Amino acid sequence: MAITLFIIVSICFFLIRLIPGAVAGEGALPEIRIALEKRYHLDQPLWNQYLIFLKNFFSFEFGESISLYARTPVFDVIRTKIPLTLQLNIYALLLTLPLGMSFGVIAGLKKNSLTDHIISLMVIFFISVPSFVFASLLQYIFAFKLGFFPFLLNLKPGWSLDKFSSMILPILALSFGGIATITRYLRSELFEALNSEYMLLSKAKGLTQVQSTVRHAIRNSFIPLCNVVVPMFTNLLGGSLVVENIFGIPGMGSLIAQSLGASDYYLTIATLFFYSIIGLTSILLIDLSYGLIDPRIRMGGGKVRE
Amino acid sequence: MSKKSRERVLKQAQASFHYETPNPESVLKEKLPKKQFKMNQMDAYLYDKIFETEPIGFFRDAWLRFRANRASLIALIIISLVVVLAIIGPMIRPYTFRTQHTEFGVLPPRIQGLEKLGICDGTLVYNLQKSELEDYGDSVVKILDEYIWVYRGREIEMVTVKINMYIRRGAQDHYFWFGTDNIGRDMFVRVWRGARISLLIGLVSVIINCFIGVVYGSISGYYGGKVDMIMQRITDTLGAIPFLVISILFIMVLGAGIQSFILVLILVNWIPMSRMIRAQFYRYKDYEYVMASRIMGAKDRKLIFRHILPNAIGPIITQATLAIPGAIFAESFLSYLGLGIQAPEPSIGVLLAEGQKVLTSSPHLTLFPAMIVSILMLAFNIFGNGLRDAFDPRLRGTEQ
């Protein structure tokens, strides 16, 4: 993980140096250019620049925003943006998990029935239709044509009914893809679990169909789910990029888009760095959670050590 | 196992608790009298026969099973249709993707034939003051509603009217099938040209990915051991970089364009491809037929390309098919963030991003690209699922 982070940071550094006029614009006056170069250590040899860059990065000093939020440290900008994005994504996840799980269990238990076919059809539909198309569709129908919900996110501080109703559409747009993914995954896992030998054994031991399904099949089919759910959280952060733009939410996602539009490189790179950290942490979490949840892997690990 | 046979096995298992096994020796003692023995094929000449059934090759077999799956067959037809339209679509209209008619900006769709049915007839519904109605002259098709709007204490007579925008702008001779954008470029041509570019990016990147993945994955999977370990550490480290991060960084440096899109998609997507191919090699390299060939003196190269790779061709094709919608999605996603292809050239993502800005006033700009990208991704996903089932060796020969 540390190596990957190091590689990402290094790529960031060298790519930013490749962009012509990234710091001082091409047409800047010579005095300004010299001052800027001094400020950003551009007058020193590349190797020194690299070391300074690394040192700054790992002490969370990402420099200052150049054009978008002039003279504000990037870290402060990001800090104000994170809570909103996180809030939305957690709500979306809270909606996604129970719905996805229950749909998956229903489809898995009633495989090849009408319910299963309907759910499967919905799953392939929601996996295929891109989130931005879906978000635009929701916005057009429910906010514009029918007027049920506000068009953009209500940004008043504190809590109110208006604010909640304005959050419904973005949350829906964020969660449908996840629901479909979980449903599809759980359906196949559960079907496999239902047909496995241990189900036969548990029934031969005298458990009823319901008992063996609840105690053995469903429990076992939930294990690989953490493989899907944890990266989904990072994907949600990525997916919220577009949704945030559509619904006018000033979070991390729209920050990336804005900083790209304004060529604010320090801001972009710091935001990307945050995404990388979240992504890498989620990968680490998956590896750790496997050992915690699945007893087979714990035992397997023990065997190797002996 | 089907449900019935499972229940049978279960019953047998439960019954076996009470079942008394006969004494095996007593069975052996019951011998048949010698007179009853009779050789069955005493008079027949026995020799090997030529197979009477037709031999079925790998692809023919897969095709037979693919054909049985209605949904994926329809998906294949839809994909071919979209591809054909993406190729000829821009040519069948008298406009090019950059012909501007600034006087005909943002016209709604109008299609010959359909306009008589009231769909796509180039009309828009407006709320106007009644006094303004005269300005519109011939272009008023129908008055839908009249009402009174109270504005700052004054009562204003208002009408809801359907207006033929083509007559209003003097474009009676033109048929813009999907309408026009804000500078009067024909959306039909632009949408299909965009679809062409999106498909091209998807296809080229997937083909190159396959190539890199086959080389990397086969070396890693075939040789195994230390080589494999080092190569897998490299892919693990690179694979942990989030897609968003690497794509944004590279497009920032390279500038947006078809080539940089393809490059980014290659940079990101070759890793899952090579992993899958490595897994295939791991599966096949210990098979007896590979060992037999090696004993007969086949070189590594021959084993890899002649014996193992053809067996892995099914999963490779499936994965490649499923990677195409992913690539199209990634392209539109990045275009959506403003990293799209440069101005005159359209792509589905660029069109969607442009349409999103004016979603409420002219929904047709979003509708058509959104429909095409959704249909395309849906079709590719269903088609890929069908291919996976068709190539799955476990399902081979299960259907008659």
Side-chain angles (χ1 to χ4, degrees):
Chain A
M1 183 183 156
I3 299 170
T4 316
L5 209 57
F6 177 73
I7 290 175
I8 293 173
V9 171
S10 308
I11 292 176
C12 281
F13 173 78
F14 287 110
L15 286 186
I16 215 176
R17 288 292 170 272
L18 279 175
I19 303 170
V23 178
E26 297 264 317
L29 290 169
E31 304 91 74
I32 297 176
R33 172 172 289 214
I34 288 166
L36 276 173
E37 281 180 352
K38 190 149 193 153
R39 189 179 163 86
Y40 294 107
H41 311 289
L42 291 183
D43 47 353
Q44 291 175 22
L46 195 67
W47 185 243
N48 274 1
Q49 284 182 35
Y50 183 52
L51 286 182
I52 291 168
F53 185 81
L54 279 186
K55 203 191 85 201
N56 284 345
F57 240 94
F58 287 107
S59 52
F60 284 87
E61 278 169 30
F62 302 112
E64 289 173 352
S65 167
I66 297 171
S67 49
L68 210 56
Y69 298 87
R71 310 298 298 265
T72 320
V74 168
F75 191 61
D76 291 351
V77 175
I78 291 175
R79 210 166 46 193
T80 57
K81 300 282 182 183
I82 283 181
L84 195 61
T85 303
L86 215 58
Q87 196 184 12
L88 268 182
N89 282 320
I90 287 172
Y91 287 142
L93 210 63
L94 284 181
L95 183 72
T96 308
L97 274 181
L99 276 182
M101 280 179 173
S102 39
F103 280 137
V105 169
I106 291 168
L109 287 180
K110 301 193 170 176
K111 189 156 179 166
N112 292 331
S113 69
L114 184 67
T115 341
D116 176 38
H117 287 311
I118 293 171
I119 290 178
S120 302
L121 204 70
M122 270 167 52
V123 163
I124 196 129
F125 181 75
F126 283 123
I127 284 182
S128 301
V129 175
S131 59
F132 42 86
V133 171
F134 193 67
S136 310
L137 200 73
L138 277 180
Q139 195 183 34
Y140 187 72
I141 293 175
F142 288 105
F144 181 65
K145 280 279 170 189
L146 300 176
F148 288 166
F149 304 107
F151 204 74
L152 298 175
L153 187 76
N154 192 333
L155 288 174
K156 268 186 287 185
W159 271 105
S160 61
L161 199 65
D162 285 349
K163 184 166 184 180
F164 183 70
S165 75
S166 72
M167 279 173 104
I168 289 177
L169 285 185
I171 291 173
L172 278 182
L174 280 175
S175 47
F176 269 107
I179 292 176
T181 319
I182 292 186
T183 305
R184 183 166 75 167
Y185 205 76
L186 202 57
R187 175 177 173 270
S188 63
E189 285 292 333
L190 188 60
F191 183 69
E192 216 176 293
L194 281 175
N195 283 319
S196 57
E197 303 272 304
Y198 61 79
M199 279 293 286
L200 200 62
L201 175 72
S202 68
K203 270 192 254 173
K205 284 197 294 188
L207 268 71
T208 62
Q209 175 74 33
V210 178
Q211 280 175 325
S212 51
T213 308
V214 173
R215 289 188 200 163
H216 295 280
I218 292 185
R219 268 184 72 172
N220 270 321
S221 61
F222 275 178
I223 290 173
L225 209 62
C226 70
N227 206 2
V228 190
V229 171
V230 180
M232 212 164 69
F233 191 68
T234 35
N235 285 348
L236 268 179
L237 284 178
S240 64
L241 238 134
V242 166
V243 174
E244 280 182 11
N245 274 326
I246 290 177
F247 290 101
I249 302 165
M252 287 285 281
S254 48
L255 187 66
I256 286 195
Q258 280 172 7
S259 66
L260 279 172
S263 314
D264 200 337
Y265 296 111
Y266 277 96
L267 199 54
T268 314
I269 282 184
T271 332
L272 293 183
F273 181 70
F274 263 84
Y275 270 92
S276 320
I277 289 182
I278 295 167
L280 293 176
T281 320
S282 76
I283 291 173
L284 195 71
L285 273 179
I286 298 170
D287 287 350
L288 291 177
S289 64
Y290 254 138
L292 283 178
I293 297 170
D294 196 342
R296 280 171 295 189
I297 288 175
R298 263 208 310 269
M299 306 248 253
K303 235 179 239 167
V304 173
R305 242 175 274 143
E306 273 166 21
Chain B
M1 234 190 295
S2 73
K3 206 177 175 187
K4 264 189 188 159
S5 66
R6 285 170 53 76
E7 274 169 5
R8 210 183 55 229
V9 171
L10 195 64
K11 268 193 190 134
Q12 278 176 2
Q14 282 168 343
S16 68
F17 288 114
H18 311 290
Y19 185 64
E20 286 171 22
T21 42
N23 185 1
E25 285 184 21
S26 69
V27 179
L28 283 174
K29 272 173 196 165
E30 284 177 39
K31 285 183 178 171
L32 280 170
K34 268 197 176 163
K35 267 190 273 173
Q36 285 186 20
F37 266 121
K38 200 171 136 195
M39 291 300 182
N40 193 18
Q41 292 170 322
M42 274 303 270
D43 309 325
Y45 290 102
L46 291 177
Y47 47 84
D48 289 343
K49 279 182 192 162
I50 298 168
F51 276 124
E52 281 165 9
T53 48
E54 207 184 322
I56 292 181
F58 177 71
F59 284 102
R60 210 179 130 79
D61 177 54
W63 168 244
L64 282 177
R65 258 173 302 123
F66 180 80
R67 211 173 47 182
N69 189 345
R70 284 284 154 70
S72 38
L73 202 62
I74 293 171
L76 178 62
I77 294 168
I78 290 175
I79 292 170
S80 335
L81 212 67
V82 171
V83 169
V84 169
L85 271 171
I87 295 167
I88 64 161
M91 297 173 202
I92 56 179
R93 302 299 299 146
Y95 319 102
T96 68
F97 71 99
R98 52 198 310 173
T99 316
Q100 299 178 6
H101 307 84
T102 36
E103 68 278 23
F104 304 146
V106 214
L107 286 173
R110 183 189 188 202
I111 302 174
Q112 293 98 323
L114 281 181
E115 64 178 338
K116 293 193 182 69
L117 300 172
I119 326 160
C120 298
D121 52 356
T123 58
L124 281 181
V125 176
Y126 274 104
N127 289 318
L128 299 171
Q129 287 188 32
K130 203 166 185 179
S131 53
E132 286 177 328
L133 211 54
E134 285 164 20
D135 300 345
Y136 286 81
D138 293 344
S139 62
V140 178
V141 181
K142 200 176 169 188
I143 295 174
L144 298 171
D145 192 19
E146 292 189 31
Y147 60 97
I148 289 170
W149 182 41
V150 183
Y151 178 72
R152 292 189 179 172
R154 281 190 301 152
E155 287 184 356
I156 302 169
E157 283 185 81
M158 297 288 290
V159 279
T160 307
V161 284
K162 208 177 199 182
I163 286 168
N164 189 328
M165 294 305 289
Y166 282 73
I167 299 175
R168 169 107 181 107
R169 300 270 182 81
Q172 288 96 323
D173 308 334
H174 290 275
Y175 283 92
F176 298 110
W177 284 354
F178 287 178
T180 56
D181 65 2
N182 55 348
I183 48 173
R185 289 177 293 194
D186 183 41
M187 280 300 283
F188 183 82
V189 172
R190 281 180 73 75
V191 163
W192 289 118
R193 200 179 163 90
R196 184 198 285 182
I197 287 168
S198 294
L199 277 171
L200 189 77
I201 289 174
L203 209 65
V204 172
S205 71
V206 165
I207 289 171
I208 298 176
N209 272 335
C210 271
F211 184 73
I212 299 175
V214 163
V215 173
Y216 196 92
S218 57
I219 291 172
S220 169
Y222 181 80
Y223 291 106
K226 262 202 184 113
V227 179
D228 180 41
M229 211 184 72
I230 293 167
M231 289 174 97
Q232 285 314 300
R233 285 290 84 67
I234 294 172
T235 50
D236 281 351
T237 319
L238 291 180
I241 305 175
F243 159 73
L244 200 69
V245 174
I246 198 159
S247 49
I248 287 179
L249 277 176
F250 270 86
I251 290 179
M252 255 162 61
V253 173
L254 296 172
I258 297 180
Q259 294 93 331
S260 45
F261 267 117
I262 292 175
L263 186 70
V264 163
L265 288 173
I266 290 168
L267 274 175
V268 177
N269 288 338
W270 70 271
I271 291 171
M273 189 66 94
S274 74
R275 275 192 189 142
M276 190 273 298
I277 289 165
R278 172 179 169 269
Q280 293 296 322
F281 267 80
Y282 253 78
R283 202 170 113 200
Y284 286 109
K285 74 173 181 186
D286 291 332
Y287 270 47
E288 276 86 357
Y289 78 92
V290 178
M291 200 207 271
S293 176
R294 183 175 292 157
I295 288 168
M296 286 192 282
K299 294 273 176 351
D300 281 351
R301 201 176 51 186
K302 189 167 185 186
L303 284 175
I304 289 175
F305 289 108
R306 184 104 190 98
H307 293 299
I308 302 182
L309 199 59
N311 266 322
I313 203 84
I316 293 173
I317 292 176
T318 308
Q319 178 118 355
T321 317
L322 288 173
I324 292 176
I328 293 173
F329 174 76
E331 186 273 326
S332 5
F333 182 75
L334 291 172
S335 302
Y336 212 95
L337 293 178
L339 294 168
I341 288 170
Q342 267 119 9
E345 202 71 44
S347 81
I348 294 274
V350 172
L351 292 173
L352 273 171
E354 283 171 3
Q356 173 65 35
K357 289 174 200 151
V358 286
L359 178 67
T360 50
S361 56
S362 38
H364 67 270
L365 291 183
T366 310
L367 177 71
F368 292 107
M371 241 164 57
I372 284 164
V373 75
S374 306
I375 287 173
L376 208 55
M377 287 186 62
L378 202 63
F380 265 112
N381 275 330
I382 295 174
F383 175 62
N385 286 346
L387 272 185
R388 186 177 54 204
D389 290 347
F391 281 128
D392 193 343
R394 281 175 299 178
L395 296 174
R396 259 181 117 169
T398 50
E399 286 145 38
Q400 298 305 314

